[in-house]
Amino acid sequence: MTMTTAIASNLRVSDLAPNQVQSEIRAMSVACAAVNGINLAQGVCDTDTPHPVVEAAIEAIHAGHNIYTRADGIESLREAIAQKFARFNQLEVDPDTQVLVTSGATGAMQATCMALLNAGDECIVFEPFYGYHLSTLRSMRITPVIVPLEAPEWAFDADRLRTAITPRTRAIILNSPSNPSGKVFSQNELEALAAFAIEHDLFVITDEMYEYFVYDGVEHFSIARLPGMAERTITISGFSKTFSVTGWRLGYLAASERWMPAISYFHDLVYVCAPAPLQHGVTTGLLALPGDFYTSVAADHQKKRDVLCGALRTAGLTPSVPTGAYYVLADTKNIPGKDGRERARRLLKETGVAAVAGSAFFGSDASGVNRGEDLLRFCFAKKDAELAEAAQRIAAFRI
């Protein structure tokens, strides 16, 4: 009996597991599929993939590029990434020692945190935040410290940042352009962040996945360009959004050769390598697509943004108009429901359009109320016809 009890007591989930729940983004995608709705909840980016990228991946499969690659990715892709960093980000990186091809930006973030941070460390995260960033930290028993940005422009407040620092702070996670707010940090804001990171000797882990999705004349700026930041910055990006290949799981990062062996080790441990033939596909994309491809991505998505924001305004759901990425946070407190999840499901029931509760991207205030409870996030990276249908349904929605 004692042995049976002992065995039973060992058959349990980890200490972390009870506090982990399915992403609200995925939950809404499931709910949307159940009613055959239009999914503006998940950033799937179902616009067309550039033809040269698809053809190169198919050719790579037929050519037998179906085995493991080097842990850091195929040489031609690392070289193409280094050229892209120089051309677009004004960053000089060595493709052999400072570039790692990863299994999505998520894989890049996980490997970076495993390599550079310890359980019990603290990491500053700006709010509204991308939920996977927080979940990655918590899965490693790293404490996220939330620093709210000021709505509706999501302005950066240096004083709030200073109140967040403690002796346990090791890093700042930056997401610009931001999911879910669409905020693009200005060069002045990044200079203030860089000075803060240098003063307190912090890593900066910057997720720049949406770097080509910028609007209204706004320009993307990489914090690693600033003096003193190259050694302490890990710059993460990827191909999921730019080439509309979210299911390919291909990202990359650049970091000092001082940190790269450890980051590469942990990426190898979890993922082994990014998918081999797909690496060949995105290499062709980087090398063959003209510069106006990237400017057209921004122009096309600015039009999509304006279509969605117009519909939200018509419905009385005031949007915070983004200057980057492809999401809109809208004020939906007038929709019946006790919280954002109920409001999202009410909107789905009435219109067949899925959005995500803002609470997935915010923490709670001193009274325990989630700061994003009155918001919903909508994704506008959809084909024009489907987005137009979603916009028509939203505009016709009456509370």
Side-chain angles (χ1 to χ4, degrees), residues 288-300:
L289 292 173
D292 61 6
F293 166 80
Y294 300 95
T295 55
S296 67
V297 164
D300 289 347

Side-chain angles (χ1 to χ4, degrees), residues 48-191:
D48 291 331
T49 302
H51 183 72
V53 174
V54 174
E55 289 304 308
I58 293 171
E59 289 173 9
I61 292 171
H62 289 309
H65 296 296
N66 302 305
I67 61 174
Y68 300 135
T69 71
R70 274 180 41 161
D72 55 357
I74 63 174
E75 182 178 9
S76 58
L77 179 52
R78 286 182 285 106
E79 290 177 348
I81 290 169
Q83 292 170 22
K84 173 264 174 186
F85 270 121
R87 179 179 65 251
F88 181 75
N89 306 87
Q90 286 79 59
L91 294 173
E92 296 297 329
V93 297
D94 186 328
D96 291 323
T97 62
Q98 297 179 311
V99 174
L100 173 66
V101 180
T102 62
S103 293
T106 303
M109 179 66 69
Q110 182 179 30
T112 297
C113 292
M114 292 177 75
L116 303 182
L117 304 177
N118 295 315
D121 286 345
E122 293 179 356
C123 182
I124 292 172
V125 181
F126 293 105
E127 179 196 75
F129 48 73
Y130 178 47
Y132 276 54
H133 290 164
L134 258 72
S135 296
T136 297
L137 295 173
R138 288 172 175 156
S139 73
M140 300 177 198
R141 295 177 170 84
I142 301 161
T143 303
V145 177
I146 297 172
V147 175
L149 301 173
E150 192 65 37
E153 289 82 17
W154 311 111
F156 164 67
D157 185 338
D159 290 335
R160 281 184 173 174
L161 182 60
R162 293 200 172 276
T163 62
I165 196 78
T166 78
R168 294 166 58 194
T169 309
R170 293 280 314 287
I172 299 170
I173 289 182
L174 181 65
N175 183 201
S176 178
S178 168
N179 175 7
S181 69
K183 176 183 174 58
V184 181
F185 279 77
S186 68
Q187 184 173 342
N188 287 340
E189 289 175 322
L190 293 174
E191 287 172 351

Side-chain angles (χ1 to χ4, degrees), residues 97-98 230-234 254-261 263:
T97 62
Q98 297 179 311
E231 184 179 30
R232 66 180 65 252
T233 302
I234 292 79
S256 165
E257 61 271 16
R258 182 178 177 185
W259 318 120
M260 192 60 80
I263 298 172

Side-chain angles (χ1 to χ4, degrees), residues 339-361:
D339 57 25
R341 289 177 176 85
E342 284 195 4
R343 294 187 187 105
R345 283 158 178 78
R346 174 66 178 269
L347 183 69
L348 178 61
K349 179 181 178 181
E350 298 292 334
T351 68
V353 176
V356 179
S359 53
F361 313 102

Side-chain angles (χ1 to χ4, degrees), residues 195-251:
F196 182 86
I198 292 169
E199 176 186 354
H200 296 282
D201 197 24
L202 305 177
F203 284 113
V204 174
I205 305 168
T206 172
D207 180 345
E208 302 181 9
M209 174 62 73
Y210 298 93
E211 59 193 344
Y212 291 109
F213 296 82
V214 288
Y215 317 122
D216 303 325
V218 170
E219 294 185 1
H220 174 72
F221 189 95
S222 293
I223 194 170
R225 288 176 55 186
L226 296 173
M229 291 304 294
E231 184 179 30
R232 66 180 65 252
T233 302
I234 292 79
T235 304
I236 296 172
S237 192
F239 306 100
S240 292
K241 317 301 183 181
T242 309
F243 293 162
S244 301
V245 288
T246 55
W248 286 19
R249 309 313 305 135
L250 280 172

